[in-house]
Amino acid sequence: MAHNATTRLVAAHLVLVAVATALVLGFVYWRTGGVIDTEQRAVVEAELRGLADDYRQGGLPALAAAVERRLGRPTGRDAVYLLTDPRGARIAGNLAAWPPGVVPGGGWVTLDLYRLDDADRPTTISAVSVRLGRGERLLVGRDVAARAAFDATLVRALGWGLAAMALMALGTGWLLSRLILRRIDGIAGTAQAIMGGALDRRIALSGSGDEFDRLAATLNAMLERISALVGDLRMVTDSLSHDLRSPLGRLGRHLDAALDAAADAETRRARILSARAEADAVLAMASALLEISRIEAGIAAEQFEAVDLAVLARDVGDLYAAPAEEQGVTLEVSAGDALTVAGHPQLLAQALSNLLDNAIRHAPPGTAVRLGAEIDGGAPVLSVADRGPGIPEDARARVRQRFVRLDPARGGEGAGLGLALVDAVARLHGARLGLDDNAPGLRATIRFPRARPAGIAPAGQLKAGP
């Protein structure tokens, strides 16, 4: 394939250069020939006017003497003159007789004639004629053999020039194709290695910043994203095999106990309820995983609309006011003026609910959980802050992953999908999930991109974040 591509590139380059060179050289030939013809005719017409002046001043003898005098000059070797009487008989000049078919004063003509000084071969001449006052005829022209020789020389020069340009085009076309195909071969080689399982391979950049470097950078970013997705898939598979084993095992044991004929009705009912709870937990885990996958695929981005974060914060705060009170926690909501972003209202509400649920469950009784919607540094921000045990700094990146649970101090319940879902929702909206120290406790924020002028869509409306 590479050789075929090289051949096609070289052939296309050669054809383009050959056509361009031929057009340029053809134009030079045409313009040069035109200039020579124009100058030659101007000289002949000037001589014709000079001879006419001699005729007016001295009559026919003076004109004949002027013709012979001009033929005797060194520059007259290519000149053609003929002065005849009204019947066409020669008086002076280097032609034997008036050419048949030439009408005096009829304009420029091209003829093949025998000159008196070169009677062995015909001469092609370009001439113009006039009829004098008493009917005499005068023809003045030039031998175009010199022009033919010039044309032949110019054609040969153009041919050599075209051949040289063809050779240069072949060389430059081959070099150009090799430069291009070498970069393409590098990309193809890396792709083959990745297909073979070397997912850590990346396309090398030359550092020139050209189109190939930009393409390589884009492909590398895509490969990073694919590698991350493959890693997530492996982690999900491993985690599912581990996290589903326990609830499914308990579910089986509860069902076996419920089938025990010796057990009383109350015990069997309790076992069935426990089995149902385990089934609900498995379904909730599957539903959360499916929701995260849909979010990361960017499917929900098609349902974006204008969302007022202040209204969203107040609504979610109202829903969690009672659960917070049951936990002995004060829920403080700070949401002032309208704060509108483009987003998916249900997903944003779910993400904010996950953060608020975690904060309320882990906040010590008698403390406050603060829910806010504000502008910080020109960017809209949703925040949830508590006074609980917090998350260690070295674990804040890890807890965004699926199935990651910290020690019981921060929660051993659940499947470890809550913050993973919040992170996915944030990236879908082009936002960033921040987990910071609240000294003590945790302050979780969803920071949206800076406000844009009207009519410009945020990144989240186009695709999910990286």
Side-chain angles (χ1 to χ4, degrees):
M1 180 181 294
H3 293 299
N4 292 336
T6 301
T7 303
R8 289 195 297 270
L9 285 172
V10 172
H13 183 66
L14 176 61
V15 170
L16 290 175
V17 171
V19 171
T21 303
L23 290 175
V24 171
L25 296 181
F27 177 77
V28 170
Y29 175 80
W30 173 68
R31 288 297 300 165
T32 302
V35 170
I36 292 174
D37 289 341
T38 300
E39 291 183 351
Q40 189 178 66
R41 292 192 176 193
V43 170
V44 171
E45 290 173 351
E47 289 191 357
L48 194 60
R49 288 192 298 271
L51 292 173
D53 290 340
D54 291 336
Y55 176 75
R56 282 192 298 271
Q57 293 175 6
L60 193 59
L63 178 57
V67 169
E68 294 299 334
R69 188 168 59 251
R70 290 172 184 255
L71 286 173
R73 295 185 303 189
T75 57
R77 289 177 300 176
D78 295 331
V80 175
Y81 299 96
L82 180 59
L83 175 63
T84 71
D85 61 17
R87 294 187 301 275
R90 174 180 174 275
I91 298 175
N94 56 357
L95 294 179
W98 190 263
V102 176
V103 179
W108 285 90
V109 293
T110 301
L111 305 168
D112 289 329
L113 300 174
Y114 288 90
R115 292 167 44 179
L116 294 177
D117 53 356
D118 189 10
D120 296 333
R121 60 183 179 85
T123 300
T124 301
I125 66 170
S126 179
V128 66
S129 61
V130 295
R131 186 185 296 276
L132 300 176
R134 297 176 181 174
E136 297 90 345
R137 304 173 184 178
L138 177 61
L139 184 142
V140 180
R142 283 290 184 274
D143 187 345
V144 297
R147 165 64 192 280
F150 170 80
D151 287 349
T153 301
L154 185 59
V155 168
R156 285 195 298 271
L158 296 180
W160 281 110
L162 188 59
M165 291 299 296
L167 290 176
M168 292 177 63
L170 283 173
T172 56
W174 184 83
L175 288 175
L176 179 64
S177 66
R178 292 312 305 160
L179 289 173
I180 294 175
L181 293 177
R182 184 172 61 185
R183 299 293 298 276
I184 294 176
D185 288 343
I187 296 174
T190 302
Q192 290 290 341
I194 293 173
M195 291 170 60
L199 297 180
D200 58 337
R201 286 283 301 275
R202 296 295 180 265
I203 301 169
L205 276 67
S206 67
S208 63
D210 59 8
E211 289 79 2
F212 281 105
D213 268 8
R214 293 197 292 271
L215 174 62
T218 301
L219 292 176
N220 285 340
M222 180 186 70
L223 292 173
E224 290 289 348
R225 179 61 177 156
I226 292 174
S227 180
L229 291 176
V230 171
D232 288 347
L233 179 61
R234 289 174 178 172
M235 183 190 67
V236 168
T237 304
D238 294 342
S239 299
L240 277 176
S241 64
H242 177 271
D243 286 73
L244 287 179
R245 184 181 294 113
S246 296
L248 290 178
R250 291 193 298 269
L251 175 62
R253 289 193 296 272
H254 290 317
L255 291 177
D256 288 340
L259 292 174
D260 185 3
D264 57 69
E266 187 64 27
T267 300
R268 298 173 72 177
R269 181 175 182 279
R271 292 293 188 177
I272 292 174
L273 291 177
S274 298
R276 181 176 178 179
E278 296 293 348
D280 289 342
V282 172
L283 289 175
M285 183 187 304
S287 177
L289 283 173
L290 179 61
E291 191 67 30
I292 292 174
S293 298
R294 288 174 56 85
I295 293 170
E296 290 184 339
I299 297 175
E302 300 175 355
Q303 303 172 7
F304 273 27
E305 60 185 64
V307 179
D308 189 335
L309 298 183
V311 173
L312 178 69
R314 286 192 290 268
D315 290 345
V316 174
D318 290 342
L319 290 176
Y320 278 85
E325 184 177 353
E326 292 176 2
Q327 294 288 332
V329 174
T330 302
L331 179 59
E332 300 176 356
V333 179
S334 174
D337 298 334
L339 192 58
T340 303
V341 299
H344 193 291
Q346 288 77 25
L347 291 180
L348 287 175
Q350 185 176 358
L352 191 57
S353 297
N354 282 7
L355 294 178
L356 198 55
D357 182 71
N358 284 340
I360 292 173
R361 282 193 294 112
H362 300 105
T367 62
V369 171
R370 292 181 174 83
L371 168 62
E374 58 188 355
I375 292 289
D376 182 14
V381 176
L382 287 173
S383 64
V384 176
D386 62 58
R387 293 292 182 177
I391 297 177
E393 185 174 358
D394 58 357
R396 290 173 189 169
R398 190 163 55 90
V399 295
R400 304 167 190 265
Q401 302 173 2
R402 299 178 180 92
F403 300 108
V404 173
R405 291 189 296 267
L406 300 180
D407 56 28
R410 187 60 190 174
E413 304 175 1
L417 297 174
L419 288 179
L421 187 143
V422 176
D423 189 55
V425 171
R427 287 187 283 113
L428 175 68
H429 290 79
R432 182 176 61 86
L433 172 63
L435 300 174
D436 303 304
D437 190 2
N438 197 39
L442 178 73
R443 184 173 187 269
T445 58
I446 301 177
R447 179 177 293 272
F448 293 84
R450 289 176 178 269
R452 290 172 171 79
I456 300 180
Q461 285 184 276
L462 302 177
K463 61 179 181 179

